[in-house]
Amino acid sequence: MFTENPTTPEEDQSANATGSVGLVAPKRHRFIEPLSLACGRILQDYTLVYETYGVLNAQKSNAVLICHALSGHHHAAGRHSPDDKRPGWWDHYIGPGKPIDTNTFFVVAPNNLGGCHGSTGPVSINPDTGKPWGPDFPALRVRDWVHSQARLADLLGIEQWAVVIGGSLGGMQAMRWSLEYPERLRHCVVIASAMKLSAQNIAFNETARQAITSDPDFCEGRYLERKKLPRRGLAVARMIGHITYLSDDGLGRRFGRELRTGSFQQGTEEVEFQIQSYLRHQGDTFSSSFDPNTYILMTRALDFFDLAREYGDDPVAAFANARCRFLLVAFTSDWRFAPQRSREIADALMHANIPVSYAEIESAMGHDAFLLPSERYETLFLAYMQRVAEEMRGCE
Amino acid sequence: MFTENPTTPEEDQSANATGSVGLVAPKRHRFIEPLSLACGRILQDYTLVYETYGVLNAQKSNAVLICHALSGHHHAAGRHSPDDKRPGWWDHYIGPGKPIDTNTFFVVAPNNLGGCHGSTGPVSINPDTGKPWGPDFPALRVRDWVHSQARLADLLGIEQWAVVIGGSLGGMQAMRWSLEYPERLRHCVVIASAMKLSAQNIAFNETARQAITSDPDFCEGRYLERKKLPRRGLAVARMIGHITYLSDDGLGRRFGRELRTGSFQQGTEEVEFQIQSYLRHQGDTFSSSFDPNTYILMTRALDFFDLAREYGDDPVAAFANARCRFLLVAFTSDWRFAPQRSREIADALMHANIPVSYAEIESAMGHDAFLLPSERYETLFLAYMQRVAEEMRGCE
């Protein structure tokens, strides 16, 4: 999963009866114009891997950008082969007849710069050394992703997105789009996000990073060169993240205090509660499919995101630059990106006279709710996107 | 801190004007009667280290037992030497004129069996092997602590405690006392506790244990024999615990998103937010003063505690056995042992016709609030303890 996909097979994007985009294949492009980063460094060239679903219309007015979250990537919908066990990470919301309807929209889902699923990142070769970038990969901020995504839009001939959409860290990218390129999007959908992280959120991210960097196999980030992998540290990091993305209530409903063996084996040190084996499995799976340096890089981008910092810490002043309409969605049991954080965005937008719809969805699934099926969320999301589509047709 | 204190110097328990119990010294006793444990194993003999403050009256009716929490110990109040930087962990609440008034009460504070501050535990020598017990130390349950504390009461000639008091894991011990030895306590004070942990709480504990056991220096628990210490894993475990014992709001008020250097050093990988360096410091400090096997043992006792399991999961049936009065205290921002958990205890007690007072204290300090100064908490705690004292005098 760390190696970049070298082939670009033909795609089968025929929509089928089940509402899937069908078989898809990643595309890739090497950008050779240097990219100046927020940290002051310059990336001489870089590759972005991305997927697209649906067809770009003649007016090029129906493009939707999907910004992914911490552990996401470009494979947002469909399957790479008929025997794929799972579809893309947001397959429930992208496809024919789904909220992000591929019969209407042309959907673009890139893997972010710095990622570990094909776009240039810490696992890529640093041309100056011939070795993996590892810890020398430049620190990235959310705005760097936005700038690189704008280059991707240029490449695809998309002057203006119909909608830029993201959940969590993806929502931060969507908001940043509205300020960096106000004329290049008509709608901004920000799901389960925040204008900046709380101290508690930063604390969880810091603990996750400590788990990774204190693993002796981390080798100060040069594990690839040393043929090592700080698998245990990354597993613990993921376990921390995983608990905090679920709600207490959701965990309780799913696992309660159920015992794996069905009885109390007092005195043994075996795994006993189901939640324990579930978490260990989650940690192990993730640690064999995600790059530790990328996890550090992404969580630091999360920590440093602060929408209004350069606007005198005034979000109203920040959003005064926006020209698009907003949909905000939050989930009642999400305690890492609590509804209060979305309400703050809504308040700032209203005070800046920007049109905004805000929906708070009843859910027991915590932060992960933004990825999961939910009737009310789907209905609402679909209705908003249909309005966008009608607006589009009105302009044709 | 892992080595048992070999000396028992004379104490200076003269109460001073500042409300401190003054200089104190730990006592220790080796119990030679075998102790049958909940896991089915038997501990042939064991040592408990404990401190006492105040004087046991002639009727032996004024004794108060302090049950400590996860990382606590016997040093609950006063100082061990005049130049001690800090007093015992509950010094704010124990001393002359304080809620647990040492002018009135005789206070007993043991280090739990399995601890790492002087009582027999994983760092002690296993007489069968001549090596530290390490991971071979028997698994303990809360009831084992209660039984060993009852032996300590026997030793001190205390037939009935005036009050058994505990916060968090200590509260679980207090509740278990009320069921195991209903005639041996008149009051039970349960602070920021629960009848059983939620799946989320178990998940956090499991992640902390994984951080410890996945540190290569853990050596399957035999680090002492190998002259190693899984310091990094324990530091991460403590960081996880520490965040969750504080509230989002409390962390925000204390640290916000303040930068340590006062400016944004974009692109550097240095510590930047104050919360980060604070957490690292907390983790490092703890990992040089606490035993990893003990941390695992204590968190497992927490996970397995389930007050009503053997009463058909009916807490009312469980508490029907209690004969004491209860004071329950919870703190509004405590999300690991939320007020709802205390209300469940109150409901069960009321349905069992047991006298109970319940106080919910407004606090931004999360679970740690039970250790910290708070006017309302002090006033209420003091009032309850004064009623206990009056009741005691009424019986003289």
Side-chain angles (χ1 to χ4, degrees), chain B residues 122-161:
Chain B
V123 297
S124 309
I125 298 299
N126 177 350
D128 291 344
T129 65
K131 293 176 185 171
W133 279 99
D136 301 330
F137 196 81
L140 295 176
R141 297 293 174 257
V142 167
R143 71 184 63 223
D144 297 320
W145 290 330
V146 169
H147 296 156
S148 62
Q149 288 157 358
R151 299 255 181 101
L152 179 60
D154 295 343
L155 174 79
L156 299 173
I158 298 161
E159 204 168 304
Q160 186 184 60
W161 299 101

Side-chain angles (χ1 to χ4, degrees), chain B residues 3-8 25-31 47-51 117-120 152 155:
Chain B
T3 54
E4 302 189 13
N5 188 336
T7 58
T8 310
K27 301 176 171 74
R28 45 193 295 115
H29 184 79
R30 183 172 162 210
F31 295 82
T47 293
L48 289 186
V49 62
Y50 61 99
E51 291 185 1
H117 294 87
S119 292
T120 300
L152 179 60
L155 174 79

Side-chain angles (χ1 to χ4, degrees), chain B residues 55 116 120 258 281 330 394:
Chain B
V55 179
C116 55
T120 300
E258 292 304 309
H281 173 75

Side-chain angles (χ1 to χ4, degrees), chain A residues 38 197-200 206-207 209-210 243 248 256-257 264 266 268-269 276 280 300 303-305 309, chain B residues 38 197-200 206-207 209-210 243 248 256-257 264 266 268-269 276 280 300 303-305 309:
Chain A
L197 293 194
S198 69
Q200 188 190 60
E206 170 65 12
T207 307
R209 286 189 295 264
Q210 282 287 312
I243 304 171
D248 191 7
R257 294 171 50 88
F264 260 79
Q266 292 194 323
T268 73
E269 293 303 313
Q276 295 175 336
R280 288 187 199 175
R300 289 184 64 86
D303 287 0
F304 275 92
F305 183 73
R309 188 164 46 80
Chain B
L197 293 195
S198 68
Q200 189 191 59
E206 171 64 13
T207 307
R209 288 190 294 266
Q210 282 287 313
I243 303 172
D248 190 7
R257 294 171 51 89
F264 259 80
Q266 293 193 323
T268 75
E269 293 302 312
Q276 295 176 336
R280 289 187 199 175
R300 288 184 65 87
D303 287 0
F304 276 91
F305 182 74
R309 188 162 45 81

Side-chain angles (χ1 to χ4, degrees), chain A residues 27-309:
Chain A
K27 299 175 171 76
R28 46 192 298 112
H29 184 79
R30 186 174 161 210
F31 294 82
I32 51 169
E33 197 192 332
L35 184 71
S36 292
L37 302 170
C39 66
R41 291 170 65 186
I42 292 168
L43 213 49
Q44 287 304 329
D45 71 289
Y46 58 96
T47 294
L48 288 186
V49 62
Y50 62 99
E51 291 185 1
T52 66
Y53 321 114
V55 179
L56 187 61
N57 63 13
Q59 300 85 347
K60 301 189 171 177
S61 65
N62 69 334
V64 172
L65 176 67
I66 309 291
C67 303
H68 70 72
L70 185 52
S71 58
H73 44 66
H74 55 286
H75 184 37
R79 288 169 200 266
H80 284 163
S81 75
D83 52 348
D84 257 6
K85 275 190 229 148
R86 289 201 213 176
W89 59 268
W90 223 19
D91 193 79
H92 197 78
Y93 291 92
I94 302 173
K98 294 178 179 175
I100 303 168
D101 191 338
T102 48
N103 290 331
T104 305
F105 295 106
F106 174 63
V107 180
V108 180
N111 180 216
N112 279 350
L113 196 60
C116 56
H117 293 87
S119 291
T120 300
V123 298
S124 308
I125 298 299
N126 177 349
D128 291 344
T129 64
K131 294 175 183 173
W133 278 100
D136 301 329
F137 196 81
L140 295 177
R141 298 293 174 257
V142 167
R143 71 184 64 223
D144 297 320
W145 290 328
V146 169
H147 295 157
S148 63
Q149 288 157 358
R151 298 254 182 106
L152 179 60
D154 295 342
L155 175 78
L156 300 172
I158 298 162
E159 204 168 303
Q160 186 185 59
W161 299 100
V163 198
V164 175
I165 302 181
S168 192
L169 179 56
M172 293 173 170
Q173 295 161 57
M175 285 187 280
R176 187 58 80 199
W177 259 98
S178 76
L179 305 187
E180 294 285 303
Y181 301 104
E183 309 296 344
R184 297 196 71 173
L185 66 164
R186 294 195 300 279
H187 293 268
C188 185
V189 177
V190 179
I191 306 170
S193 193
M195 291 189 287
K196 58 186 174 188
L197 293 194
S198 69
Q200 188 190 60
N201 266 337
I202 294 173
F204 278 122
N205 285 341
E206 170 65 12
T207 307
R209 286 189 295 264
Q210 282 287 312
I212 295 168
T213 58
S214 70
D215 184 326
D217 289 338
F218 183 65
C219 306
E220 296 182 315
R222 307 201 184 280
Y223 45 86
L224 290 180
E225 290 176 52
R226 309 264 177 89
K227 311 258 182 266
K228 303 242 182 191
L229 197 61
R231 212 181 276 277
R232 292 162 299 201
L234 185 60
V236 170
R238 180 57 171 178
M239 288 169 74
I240 296 169
H242 203 74
I243 304 171
T244 64
Y245 296 141
L246 301 173
S247 72
D248 191 7
D249 200 27
L251 278 172
R253 285 192 206 182
R254 182 149 170 202
F255 299 103
R257 294 171 50 88
E258 291 305 308
L259 295 173
R260 203 174 56 118
T261 56
S263 74
F264 260 79
Q265 298 178 327
Q266 292 194 323
T268 73
E269 293 303 313
E270 289 298 300
V271 171
E272 309 234 25
F273 294 106
Q274 286 183 0
I275 179 68
Q276 295 175 336
S277 47
Y278 169 76
L279 268 184
R280 288 187 199 175
H281 173 72
Q282 289 290 329
D284 290 346
T285 306
F286 187 74
S287 72
S288 56
S289 69
F290 206 88
D291 173 56
N293 281 320
T294 296
Y295 201 79
I296 292 171
L297 177 153
M298 298 255 177
T299 55
R300 289 184 64 86
L302 256 175
D303 287 0
F304 275 92
F305 183 73
D306 190 344
L307 184 97
R309 188 164 46 80

